[in-house]
Amino acid sequence: MLVAALAAGCGGGSGDAAPPTTTIRQLRQFRIVFPEGFTRAQMALRVEAVAKIAQKESNRKVKVSRETYLAATAKPRVVAGFGARKLPLEGFLFPDTYDFDRKSTSAQLMGEQLAEFASKWSSLDLSYARSKNLTPYDVLTIASMVEGEAQVPKERPLVAAVIYNRLHSHMSLGIDATLRYGLHIPPTQSLTQSELHNPTPYNTRLHDGLPPTPIDNPGLASLEAAAHPARVDYLYFVRKPDHKHRPRSRP
């Protein structure tokens, strides 16, 4: 798109010549969509795919790439509102739609994601979570588990409630999405018995409490569910053939 901008310092007389113009060529914009629940690794693959399309369509090299995105998001950092400890960025890379051009860098893309996360996070009321002795990072981790487990929107507060209730009862969470994350197993692949007994810290069948980090990057609905779970006493949920969860108070 071409934009004409009037040069500064022009005279105003009626006999003056028309002011000169400066033509500014704006770089073509491309769009990248990160779905809710994508991991950092999945986002890097999406960056790679969109970068190839952008490079082909513009016939120019673009700066964003899978490698530079992984490098930009690899280093833990202190996140405002989450204490003084440096944290890995899994969970903080907000899933949304972002625009970039061939000169945009992966560091800039990451910065936009972190800024969008901060904006969405600031809208949450964490008073209920605090009353249950949960930290902001706990809530974010729960949100990532809700995102990984819930199949339909109405399930999110119920899945969050089961997690809260099992934590309160000092029960193992038994959420397979955490194990899949720890062992890099896609949801389309069945878990074997040896995998179910793998001692990874992300195996919430074996280890009580929350996994060490979020397991994906949750959207706003899952963040809200983690901050405001359903007020029910369910301790279990089962997945029916339609892949939807049915919460229960007992096995």
Side-chain angles (χ1 to χ4, degrees), residues 160-184:
V162 169
I163 295 172
Y164 268 70
N165 293 340
R166 290 178 76 88
L167 288 173
H168 180 72
S169 299
H170 304 289
M171 300 172 63
S172 62
L173 298 180
I175 291 182
D176 288 344
T178 65
L179 180 58
R180 292 182 181 279
Y181 178 81
L183 299 181
H184 309 288

Side-chain angles (χ1 to χ4, degrees), residues 92-98 109-122 220 223:
F92 295 101
L93 301 168
F94 195 77
D96 208 334
T97 300
Y98 300 91
L109 175 57
M110 174 198 67
E112 290 184 29
Q113 289 184 272
L114 295 180
E116 192 64 19
F117 172 85
S119 174
K120 296 296 191 295
W121 184 262
S122 66
L220 180 59
L223 293 174

